[in-house]
Amino acid sequence: AIQDLVKERTFIDVGANIGIYPLSLYKDASFIYAFEPEEKNYKSLLHNIKINSIKNIKVIKKAVFSHNHKKIALYMNKDDQGWHSLSIKYSGGIQKVESITLDYFVKQNKIDNIGLIKIDVEGGELDVIKGAQKTLKEIHPPILIEFNKPISELTGHKLTDIYRLIVGNNYRGYTLRGNLLNKIEDSDIMGIYNENILFIYGK
């Protein structure tokens, strides 16, 4: 299902880490923008692209957020490189990173043919969506977003907050079971523990 969405279209990966999604989708997508603010992950991602001689991935060392051009704190998680967060104050140190909104980035780069936006930012999902409202309203890209209940509880907002902000733009949510899409109702959100949800416009 994911390959079909990005085929010959732009894929935007918010929270690319070391590049699992870009490295598996670059042959399908026409172009990939991968956001990764953390220094080590960023360097690993660049290295992985280089050794595979991939030409259609651009890596942006910024944190996608609800506000533009701010220096914000990225909290390091000592145990897992994939868990660094803007929203959860881990004790493994701080990196100052520059923020950008998806709305600003999409407009600046004149991107319109978006096949998919993937968002996996360890509790920062609500901020990413807040900074992408224009993109959702005008371009209606499919969105794949991690709904993680324990992490959202640590940030002080609920999964229902993220859900409402997206479906308010005339989207429907689906769980992925292999290649099968299962439509979710509003009441299902309370029962989600940790799952990727695909939102599709107007279905």
Side-chain angles (χ1 to χ4, degrees):
I2 302 302
Q3 277 87 353
D4 298 336
L5 288 172
V6 302
K7 200 152 204 65
E8 291 166 19
R9 305 184 80 187
T10 299
F11 170 50
I12 298 176
D13 190 350
V14 179
N17 200 269
I18 58 170
I20 292 156
Y21 275 82
L23 292 168
S24 63
L25 292 171
Y26 76 92
K27 288 178 181 167
D28 300 292
S30 59
F31 201 81
I32 295 174
Y33 295 99
F35 289 90
E36 179 48 59
E38 198 279 320
E39 188 70 40
K40 276 189 191 160
N41 289 342
Y42 171 75
K43 285 182 174 163
S44 297
L45 177 50
L46 287 179
H47 176 73
N48 290 339
I49 292 166
K50 190 177 177 183
I51 59 172
N52 287 286
S53 305
I54 302 168
K55 300 283 184 258
N56 65 335
I57 302 177
K58 180 178 170 68
V59 184
I60 300 103
K61 191 177 180 293
K62 289 185 179 176
V64 179
F65 197 60
S66 53
H67 298 89
N68 249 334
H69 307 317
K70 281 192 174 355
K71 282 280 188 192
I72 51 178
L74 179 67
Y75 296 93
M76 302 290 104
N77 184 297
K78 292 197 289 278
D79 303 318
D80 193 314
Q81 285 285 103
W83 287 1
H84 306 314
S85 177
L86 297 169
S87 311
I88 302 163
K89 295 182 177 177
Y90 292 123
S91 59
I94 288 174
Q95 281 181 26
K96 285 284 186 184
V97 296
E98 192 176 333
S99 71
I100 191 166
T101 66
L102 274 180
D103 283 344
Y104 178 83
F105 184 81
V106 165
K107 192 178 178 191
Q108 283 291 102
N109 292 277
K110 299 182 171 61
I111 305 165
D112 54 8
N113 189 21
I114 304 172
L116 182 67
I117 298 174
K118 182 224 104 186
I119 304 168
D120 181 356
V121 286
E122 304 308 314
E125 291 80 10
L126 191 64
D127 285 312
V128 174
I129 296 298
K130 281 178 179 172
Q133 287 295 296
K134 212 170 160 109
T135 304
L136 268 61
K137 286 178 172 69
E138 293 174 6
I139 304 175
H140 320 305
I143 297 162
L144 183 67
I145 185 165
E146 185 185 51
F147 269 40
N148 185 311
K149 193 175 186 176
I151 283 189
S152 81
E153 284 171 354
L154 287 172
T155 66
H157 65 254
K158 299 185 178 71
L159 292 179
T160 46
D161 298 334
I162 308 168
Y163 178 78
R164 285 190 193 119
L165 199 55
I166 301 173
V167 298
N169 288 299
N170 201 20
Y171 277 78
R172 287 302 305 248
Y174 300 83
T175 53
L176 290 163
R177 295 282 180 272
N179 279 332
L180 291 175
L181 292 178
N182 295 314
K183 192 180 281 189
I184 54 176
E185 302 304 327
D186 298 5
S187 56
D188 296 333
I189 297 300
M190 302 304 285
I192 288 174
Y193 187 75
N194 185 11
E195 186 135 25
N196 281 324
I197 308 292
L198 180 66
F199 288 92
I200 298 173
Y201 177 76
K203 288 271 176 115

